Amino acid sequence: SYDLTQPLSVSVALGQTASITCGADNVRSRNVHWYQQKPGQAPMLVIYRDKNRPSGIPERFSGSNSGNTATLIITGAQAGDEADYYCQMWDTSGVVFGGGTKLTVL
Amino acid sequence: EVQLVESGGGLVQLGGSLRLSCAASGFTFSSYWMTWVRQAPGKGLEWVANIKPDGGDKFYVDSVKGRFTISRDNTKNALYLQMNALTAEDTAVYFCARCLWWEPFDFWGQGTLVAVSS
């Protein structure tokens, strides 16, 4: 089954751009979804099928998927974006989540 | 409004059993795959099990195969997870979520805590 590799932590200055990566062999051949989770809350979908935003998700959230890396991009990060972020995909054996990345907004 | 509400969590002894429930409302429950995802304290998300809309196909992560059983009752809009032979590694918050096949989990419940004690 796939292993999705995420950095443990990413820091970004307020108003700057944060990139959170999700690595796997040939991940571009799969749809990758991204979730935001704040402490004590359930995960929330922020990007689906690599680059699409659900209704209600701000435009500053975007995504890409190329080669062996999918990327969640937060342009103009705000204090409220500080959270854990998880990538996810489906595999023939079920569902795979990345290990999660803690985003800190400085 | 889509709602998923988990219940049935609690403190259970090592080797014991527990049955979780997830009550769904605000959507056509019988049209969706349903999933259990868990999160151990301070850890990441781990997929546990999926069940097809008609309940005919079920999939499990290797670590729970033979111990956990996912089921659903489309007449009651309810999802279940029967957990047997519980170990300390099963201690986690358990979330239910809905999806379509190979699509994202677009709605999640708030979770129910399962704590396995020795």
Side-chain angles (χ1 to χ4, degrees):
Chain A
S1 66
Y2 267 73
D3 283 327
L4 298 177
T5 301
Q6 296 183 237
L8 283 176
S9 64
V10 167
S11 297
V12 61
L14 187 67
Q16 297 304 301
T17 298
S19 295
I20 298 173
T21 59
C22 175
D25 286 341
N26 199 27
V27 73
R28 67 172 179 168
S29 66
R30 303 294 181 91
N31 287 323
V32 175
H33 316 299
W34 290 92
Y35 303 88
Q36 176 194 72
Q37 187 182 33
K38 296 181 178 179
Q41 297 185 16
M44 179 177 69
L45 181 67
V46 292
I47 291 289
Y48 65 97
R49 291 193 229 121
D50 301 335
K51 59 184 180 181
N52 300 281
R53 277 179 293 106
S55 173
I57 299 302
E59 289 184 8
R60 64 179 181 275
F61 287 87
S62 62
S64 67
N65 189 355
S66 178
N68 295 327
T69 305
T71 304
L72 173 69
I73 303 156
I74 306 172
T75 305
Q78 300 184 4
D81 298 332
E82 190 162 284
D84 294 327
Y85 291 85
Y86 296 89
C87 58
Q88 175 255 316
M89 61 184 290
W90 286 73
D91 185 18
T92 51
S93 60
V95 174
V96 182
F97 285 98
T101 298
K102 181 175 180 57
L103 177 69
T104 300
V105 180
L106 304 171
Chain B
E1 179 193 5
V2 174
Q3 284 198 325
L4 296 169
V5 180
E6 302 93 337
S7 60
L11 183 63
V12 61
Q13 286 197 328
L14 203 61
S17 298
L18 212 55
R19 188 196 196 205
L20 305 183
S21 299
C22 171
S25 60
F27 66 101
T28 305
F29 181 71
S30 59
S31 296
Y32 285 82
W33 283 75
M34 294 299 296
T35 292
W36 288 99
V37 173
R38 67 184 178 183
Q39 186 170 36
K43 302 296 184 182
L45 301 174
E46 180 185 34
W47 168 71
V48 175
N50 278 346
I51 186 167
K52 196 178 176 180
D54 66 2
D57 287 327
K58 305 172 186 181
F59 301 91
Y60 301 90
V61 68
D62 285 347
S63 60
V64 308
K65 284 180 182 175
R67 300 188 301 121
F68 288 13
T69 302
I70 189 172
S71 63
R72 64 192 295 162
D73 185 339
N74 287 345
T75 66
K76 296 181 178 178
N77 289 348
L79 173 72
Y80 305 104
L81 186 67
Q82 177 66 44
M83 304 185 296
N84 298 330
L86 285 162
T87 73
E89 287 68 39
D90 297 317
T91 293
V93 173
Y94 285 73
F95 297 98
C96 66
R98 76 168 197 181
C99 64
L100 297 173
W101 182 234
W102 280 61
E103 292 291 2
F105 304 119
D106 61 348
F107 281 95
W108 297 65
Q110 284 305 303
T112 187
L113 176 62
V114 172
V116 182
S117 70
S118 55

